[in-house]
Amino acid sequence: MNYVMRLLTMFLSLSMVVLILQIKQVECSRARIIKPYYNNSTKNGDDGEDLVTNLPGQPEVKFRHYAGFVTVNEEKGRALFYWFYEASTLPQDKPLVLWLNGGPGCSSVGYGATQEIGPFLVNTGGSGLKFNPFSWNKEANILFLESPVGVGFSYTNTSTDFDNLGDDFTANDAYEFFQKWFLKFPTYRKRPFYIAGESYAGKYVPELAELIHDKNKDTSSSNINLKGILMGNPETSDAEDWRGLVDYAWSHAIISDETHRIIKESCDFNSDKTWSIPECKNGVDEVLRQYKEIDIYSLYTSVCIANSSTNSESSMEVMFKSTTQMMPRIMGGYDPCLDDYARAYYNRPDVQKALHVSDGLQLKNWSICNLTLFSNWADTKPSVLPIYKKLIAAGLRIWVYSGDTDGRVPVLSTRYSLNALGLPITKQWTPWYHEQQVSGWYQEYKGITFATFRGAGHAVPIFKPSSSLALFTYFLQSESLPSAR
């Protein structure tokens, strides 16, 4: 009897072991069914820590997006904030595109991601988000970077860093950012890579491209697969940019014939001493005074009239405080109060927590543009045209586009800059079409494609979302714009 009981006990014990193993096997199987999303995140998203999952007001989408900080200098405590959107379909087959806004001192999250080319656009009043059917992540994996430190959520723990901010500082930190970012997202390291941006990013973009090109000469594994650059209404060459700004203001009836004549006679924008000539300074001041009455970034749309200190007259006075060689990029669009909506949204505790910026209690003060940073900018290249020549010789794809109702970096400035390169024309000036309508005109040079957008202001995708997505697609495919209906 004892023998039988022992056998029965052993049988039950073995049965329990088998049952436990089966349960474990089922649990493992379930894990394999459920986990791939997060297993992929471990390879591509810092163990999933940067994955954004509870963004307030976000429309439901099938693609993933990530946000967080990348430390670019451990010793000084410098960290840049990024927001990365996977392509809406087949992200594994599509290139990686970095988008930069300029200023200097303005946020790529606040402008590019929130108002222009990102999948989520901010609602009126900053109450939430709406889906952008013309988001550029239809065609690529899009990365927005708040750069340099002091812009948006990006920060430094070393105050003296702000004394050194400039073009080279920005490019070097952005390059270091990518070396660290690719550790979080290693499958993107060899992906075709493009840099895009607008306004003062017309300097950031080629400067970063040049740095990547030079670093790639070191045949180490840290190479970045840079294929090309795309720039909208870009600051390019100070002399040509200012000459174009003045001529455009005159040709669009912003200033008088007399003011235009005085500037033409007294201003040599190629000279470092031009701003010390009273007649020149007074003439350019008059241009800026007239532009203060309207939106310089969009001549034919309304300005924001709101009960907000951010849109007060004193704010505009700061923007045009003197005739300097730069002006910050602050603009409106069809809704000229978009900047206010973005500011309201990104200072919400639940938004900052969802984007891994703060714990939702100790908030960071987010602003769309840092005018202090702009005022103290220590280093700017007077022209990036020599970099254009270098990148053309390296075989990189370079496209430039221009909204033709922008007074800040008008189409004339860009045409003057490109003409200064003296490149052979390979395709003559011709209309390009989108949805059977003339979207603008374009011309192909040996090494550069230049296109205009008819009726678009400084931030082209705000005004022409569908046709700007079309141009982006042709750029990635290295195809000419359609010249027939």
Side-chain angles (χ1 to χ4, degrees), residues 411-436:
V411 64
L412 284 182
S413 294
T414 304
R415 294 174 81 167
Y416 290 165
S417 293
L418 295 180
N419 287 338
L421 287 170
L423 298 172
I425 296 171
T426 58
K427 188 166 187 176
Q428 292 290 342
W429 190 261
T430 186
W432 71 278
Y433 296 87
H434 179 65
E435 296 176 345
Q436 298 188 313

Side-chain angles (χ1 to χ4, degrees), residues 122-141:
V122 68
N123 275 333
T124 301
S127 58
L129 301 169
K130 58 186 176 183
F131 181 69
N132 178 12
F134 305 107
S135 172
W136 286 15
N137 83 322
K138 284 177 171 284
E139 300 297 332
N141 302 280

Side-chain angles (χ1 to χ4, degrees), residues 370-428:
N370 184 335
L371 293 182
T372 301
L373 185 153
F374 163 78
S375 300
N376 296 330
W377 199 250
D379 161 48
T380 180
K381 289 181 174 59
S383 175
V384 291
L385 292 178
I387 300 178
Y388 274 36
K389 293 178 180 179
K390 183 176 181 179
L391 299 180
I392 290 170
L396 292 183
R397 190 180 315 155
I398 303 175
W399 281 34
V400 179
Y401 63 87
S402 182
D404 65 9
T405 65
D406 173 31
R408 173 58 190 92
V409 190
V411 64
L412 284 182
S413 294
T414 304
R415 294 174 81 167
Y416 290 165
S417 293
L418 295 180
N419 287 338
L421 287 170
L423 298 172
I425 296 171
T426 58
K427 188 166 187 176
Q428 292 290 342

Side-chain angles (χ1 to χ4, degrees), residues 432-453:
W432 71 278
Y433 296 87
H434 179 65
E435 296 176 345
Q436 298 188 313
Q437 298 293 325
V438 174
S439 189
W441 282 260
Y442 80 106
Q443 185 160 282
E444 293 180 357
Y445 301 87
K446 188 176 181 180
I448 292 179
T449 292
F450 171 59
T452 71
F453 280 84

Side-chain angles (χ1 to χ4, degrees), residues 279-401:
E279 294 82 3
C280 175
K281 182 182 183 304
N282 292 338
V284 175
D285 279 347
E286 176 61 20
V287 176
L288 302 185
R289 267 194 297 273
Q290 297 304 325
Y291 266 131
K292 281 167 59 178
E293 298 298 320
I294 60 174
D295 186 348
I296 189 174
Y297 301 98
S298 174
L299 264 63
Y300 305 117
T301 55
S302 301
V303 296
C304 182
I305 307 298
N307 295 321
S308 166
S309 61
T310 57
N311 285 298
S312 67
E313 188 176 346
S314 63
S315 176
M316 296 294 285
E317 290 294 339
V318 171
M319 188 167 122
F320 296 119
K321 61 185 172 61
S322 64
T323 305
T324 64
Q325 293 189 23
M326 297 187 298
M327 283 190 293
R329 173 217 188 277
I330 301 171
M331 60 85 192
Y334 282 130
D335 183 342
C337 300
L338 279 169
D339 292 5
D340 280 356
Y341 307 157
R343 191 177 295 107
Y345 185 75
Y346 290 115
N347 282 302
R348 285 174 49 173
D350 51 354
V351 171
Q352 291 197 6
K353 187 173 183 180
L355 294 176
H356 313 120
V357 169
S358 73
D359 57 7
L361 299 174
Q362 294 179 319
L363 302 184
K364 293 184 180 292
N365 181 22
W366 185 91
S367 62
I368 199 160
C369 287
N370 184 335
L371 293 182
T372 301
L373 185 153
F374 163 78
S375 300
N376 296 330
W377 199 250
D379 161 48
T380 180
K381 289 181 174 59
S383 175
V384 291
L385 292 178
I387 300 178
Y388 274 36
K389 293 178 180 179
K390 183 176 181 179
L391 299 180
I392 290 170
L396 292 183
R397 190 180 315 155
I398 303 175
W399 281 34
V400 179
Y401 63 87

